């Protein structure tokens, strides 16, 4: 009998309570206009994954230059600084890609050559600014 009374009181208490309103689903955060603009303008960030997925340089000279820049940037971030065997392998690979001053000089020369193509100039400017 005591169990029935306890069960009845619990049911009565639950019936008297107001149901809790479901929390509102938060709206998807909208990126700020500056974030949208910077992603659209910065071809380096926008294309970095695409260039890292390629194993050979593209035939287009601007794409090939961007590919080299992305590869050089990635390899540079992998150097541990302890002169290990891996560091030496990375240095050899970076030498093969002509990273550093050579890459920068070639990018500037290509930019001068393609000065009439605004999209190529913007992409090369992103590469030059990165280095």
């Amino acid at each position: 009998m005591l169990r029935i009374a306890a069960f009845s009181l619990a049911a009565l208490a639950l019936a008297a309570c107001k149901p809790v309103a479901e929390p509102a689903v938060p709206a998807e955060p909208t990126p700020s206009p500056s974030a949208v603009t910077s992603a659209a303008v910065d071809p380096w960030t926008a294309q970095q994954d695409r260039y890292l997925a390629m194993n050979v340089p593209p035939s287009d000279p601007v794409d090939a230059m961007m590919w080299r820049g992305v590869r050089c940037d990635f390899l540079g971030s992998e150097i541990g600084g302890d002169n290990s065997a891996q560091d030496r392998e990375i240095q050899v690979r970076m030498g093969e890609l002509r990273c550093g001053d050579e890459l920068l000089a070639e990018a500037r020369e290509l930019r001068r050559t393609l000065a009439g193509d605004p999209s190529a100039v913007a992409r090369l400017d992103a590469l030059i600014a990165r280095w």
Side-chain angles (χ1 to χ4, degrees), residues 15-119:
C17 293
K18 292 182 183 178
V20 176
E22 291 287 324
V25 177
E28 288 291 321
T30 55
S32 66
S34 62
V36 172
T37 305
S38 65
V41 172
D42 185 11
W44 181 270
T45 304
Q47 299 296 320
Q48 193 167 12
D49 291 336
R50 181 175 80 103
Y51 289 124
L52 283 175
M54 295 177 174
N55 291 325
V56 294
S59 59
D60 178 66
V62 176
D63 278 336
M65 189 67 63
M66 295 293 286
W67 179 85
R68 277 179 54 204
V70 168
R71 290 284 172 158
C72 290
D73 189 51
F74 175 76
L75 288 172
S77 70
E78 293 293 306
I79 294 176
D82 56 357
N83 201 26
S84 64
Q86 179 182 357
D87 281 2
R88 289 189 297 274
E89 289 173 22
I90 290 171
Q91 290 291 345
V92 168
R93 181 69 180 132
M94 289 179 77
E96 292 169 356
L97 290 172
R98 297 183 318 274
C99 297
D101 292 338
E102 292 176 65
L103 175 70
L104 194 55
E106 290 175 34
R108 286 182 177 142
E109 182 61 35
L110 185 59
R111 187 188 185 285
R112 278 191 289 278
T113 303
L114 300 174
D117 184 356
S119 66

